[in-house]
């Protein structure tokens, strides 16, 4: 495997010793410095070169050393996709691969002797990850990265504002924004985006171990642990998102809420509402593609809460800061998932740049 190595001055001597040793284990080394132990340098600078090489796919693993190994591991673990393990024993090295699937080994040049460091590295490079329940835990760690990356512009109450940056979602959002996208393509893409968003949103669904009989033997697998879900589209545009989500979670129940804006008071009035009877036991996802002023979304959330809903999230394709602020103020506990956080509302209440009226574009009524 391709191994990127790096150290500061305090880890230099150990790095030099380790290079030949790791090569003798059959790996290819790229040394990103430091190139001397004489001059005092800053460990984050060398760390970044190694982690960049891993993140860009040029290296498979990394080996870092500083005086204690602490600075290097703190710095490395700030980089999304890097899982650095500071190891001072063969046991920790083995577990960091088996349970944590660490991709960077960190050693302390002033704390760990050369012979022990080599024994640690030998175990670390030879051990494969175990998977199973550890995969679920690793996924939860990876979720921190997604959430941290996606919370934008400080718009954050106690509920989360998550902008889903997955490239496929972003690509499709650009197409639905295009005014020349046909009604059919628009409709298909809205379902696809809703499905991709659901795939990201549901990455924390609880799993349980199950026994599976393969044609060869009995093994342990993972199965979703019976979470009860409900999707509640706000009529009419929310309907455009339902099928895309149900394709992934076909057992979710579907409620409906119809709202119109009273022309005098401009307040949203609900004219239709049918929710699953056991709404209080379900995780509820209200679907409203355009979160503009937030008036209808907030009213829909309030309605679901009055009906007994306790765990409510809002899923929109495009949100305006005004809508996010309104929903966060009215329902601070609600998570808001959106594929794009746009600039502002114009004088007619349309999101800028937005995509126009989602209902009209879904149903070809304009
Ligand atoms: C350098 O003196 C030392 O602080 C550094 O190598 C490292 O141990 C930091 O965590």
């Amino acid at each position: 495997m391709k191994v990127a190595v790096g150290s500061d001055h305090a880890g230099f001597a150990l790095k030099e010793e380790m290079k030949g040793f790791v090569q003798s284990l059959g790996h290819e080394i790229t040394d990103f410095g430091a190139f001397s132990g004489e001059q005092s340098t800053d460990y984050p600078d060398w760390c970044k070169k190694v982690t960049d090489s891993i993140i860009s796919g040029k290296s498979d693993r990394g080996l870092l050393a500083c005086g204690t190994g602490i600075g290097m591991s703190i710095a490395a673990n700030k980089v999304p996709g890097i899982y650095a393990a500071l190891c001072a024993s063969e046991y920790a090295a083995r577990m960091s691969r088996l349970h944590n699937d660490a991709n960077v080994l960190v050693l302390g040049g002033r704390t760990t002797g050369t012979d022990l460091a080599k024994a640690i590295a030998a175990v670390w490079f030879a051990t494969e990850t175990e998977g199973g329940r550890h995969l679920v835990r690793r996924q939860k760690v990876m979720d921190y990265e997604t959430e941290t990356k996606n919370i934008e512009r400080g718009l954050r109450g106690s509920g989360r504002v998550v902008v889903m940056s997955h490239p496929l979602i972003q690509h499709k959002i650009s197409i639905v924004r295009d005014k020349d996208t046909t009604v059919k393509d628009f409709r298909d893409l809205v379902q696809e985006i809703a499905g991709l968003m659901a795939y990201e949103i549901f990455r924390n669904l609880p799993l349980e171990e199950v026994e599976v009989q393969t044609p060869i033997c009995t093994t342990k697998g993972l199965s979703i642990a019976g979470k009860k879900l409900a999707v509640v589209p706000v009529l009419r545009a929310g309907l455009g998102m339902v099928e895309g989500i149900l394709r992934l979670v076909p057992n979710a129940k579907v409620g409906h809420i119809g709202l119109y804006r009273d022309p005098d008071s401009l307040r949203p009035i609900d004219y239709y509402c049918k929710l699953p009877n056991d709404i209080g036991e379900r995780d509820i996802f209200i679907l409203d593609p355009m979160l503009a002023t937030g008036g209808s979304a907030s009213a829909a959330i309030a309605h679901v809460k009055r009906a007994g809903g306790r765990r409510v999230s809002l899923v929109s394709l495009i949100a305006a800061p005004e809508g996010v602020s309104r929903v966060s103020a009215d329902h601070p506990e609600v998570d808001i998932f959106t594929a794009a956080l746009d600039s502002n509302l114009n004088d007619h209440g349309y999101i800028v740049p937005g995509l126009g009226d989602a209902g009209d574009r879904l149903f070809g009524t304009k």
Side-chain angles (χ1 to χ4, degrees):
M1 108 186 27
K2 291 183 179 158
V3 182
V5 299
S7 74
D8 66 356
H9 55 290
F12 175 76
L14 183 60
K15 174 184 63 114
E16 293 303 298
E17 291 278 351
M18 296 306 292
K19 282 186 335 194
F21 179 71
V22 173
Q23 267 167 337
S24 77
L25 298 175
H27 304 298
E28 191 184 314
I29 293 287
T30 309
D31 185 356
F32 286 91
F35 300 106
S36 140
E38 299 304 311
Q39 194 192 342
S40 179
T41 55
D42 301 330
Y43 59 82
D45 299 338
W46 307 111
C47 178
K48 183 152 191 323
K49 292 175 197 285
V50 167
T51 56
D52 278 352
S53 177
I54 297 169
I55 296 305
S56 64
K58 292 186 186 124
S59 300
D60 306 304
R61 300 265 189 92
L63 193 158
L64 289 168
C66 62
T68 57
I70 294 171
M72 280 295 195
S73 59
I74 291 173
N77 280 315
K78 295 285 177 210
V79 180
I82 296 296
Y83 309 96
L86 170 57
C87 296
S89 68
E90 291 173 62
Y91 177 76
R94 183 174 297 107
M95 298 313 271
S96 80
R97 291 286 311 129
L98 276 177
H99 287 192
N100 311 114
D101 196 11
N103 57 3
V104 174
L105 170 64
V106 188
L107 298 166
R110 291 173 178 161
T111 55
T112 306
T114 309
D115 289 346
L116 177 56
K118 287 181 179 171
I120 288 169
V123 168
W124 194 80
F125 280 104
T127 308
E128 287 305 322
T129 189
E130 202 173 81
R133 66 186 189 283
H134 304 295
L135 269 186
V136 178
R137 293 167 188 171
R138 174 62 131 65
Q139 182 61 57
K140 289 188 177 182
V141 176
M142 291 165 79
D143 289 346
Y144 290 172
E145 298 171 343
T146 319
E147 285 168 20
T148 314
K149 234 180 2 196
N150 285 338
I151 292 168
E152 291 189 358
R153 301 190 195 180
L155 290 165
R156 191 181 180 189
S158 41
R160 296 170 299 157
V161 180
V162 181
V163 182
M164 315 206 100
S165 58
H166 193 291
L168 289 174
I169 296 176
Q170 293 306 314
H171 176 83
K172 289 171 196 288
I173 281 287
S174 299
I175 305 174
V176 292
R177 284 188 193 278
D178 187 333
K179 66 178 178 41
D180 293 326
T181 296
T182 63
V183 170
K184 181 190 178 303
D185 288 348
F186 188 92
R187 198 180 286 149
D188 292 347
L189 283 160
V190 166
Q191 298 289 10
E192 283 175 27
I193 296 166
L196 290 167
M197 291 180 74
Y199 180 79
E200 293 276 47
I201 291 167
F202 294 145
R203 60 166 67 238
N204 286 326
L205 283 182
L207 292 169
E208 61 190 5
E209 255 181 18
V210 291
E211 203 170 83
V212 182
Q213 180 70 52
T214 77
I216 311 298
C217 65
T218 303
T219 186
K220 294 228 182 309
L222 294 168
S223 174
I224 290 174
K227 191 88 173 162
K228 288 180 149 188
L229 304 172
V231 292
V232 180
V234 178
L235 303 179
R236 67 183 159 149
L239 289 174
M241 300 168 74
V242 175
E243 283 305 317
I245 298 178
L246 288 185
R247 260 177 234 141
L248 297 185
V249 284
N251 293 329
K253 292 272 164 53
V254 184
H256 293 89
I257 291 187
L259 297 162
Y260 72 91
R261 188 176 292 274
D262 180 79
D264 298 324
S265 68
L266 298 181
R267 292 181 49 194
I269 310 289
D270 42 89
Y271 63 88
Y272 182 79
C273 181
K274 181 82 183 163
L275 299 173
N277 289 336
D278 56 355
I279 195 78
E281 296 164 33
R282 293 183 177 270
D283 281 4
I284 303 146
F285 296 87
I286 294 183
L287 311 179
D288 197 355
M290 307 303 283
L291 178 56
T293 62
S296 327
S298 182
I301 296 167
H303 201 102
V304 167
K305 290 207 286 198
R306 277 199 302 277
R310 290 183 291 119
R311 295 182 304 279
V312 185
S313 302
L314 175 68
V315 187
S316 70
L317 298 191
I318 297 186
E322 293 90 333
V324 172
S325 299
R326 168 73 188 270
V327 171
S328 298
D330 292 352
H331 308 284
E333 79 289 1
V334 165
D335 285 341
I336 301 171
F337 298 100
T338 186
L341 190 53
D342 275 9
S343 160
N344 60 286
L345 294 180
N346 68 15
D347 294 343
H348 305 287
Y350 280 97
I351 299 177
V352 181
L355 52 71
D357 184 306
D360 282 339
R361 296 198 59 188
L362 276 167
F363 299 109
T365 43
K366 210 170 188 180

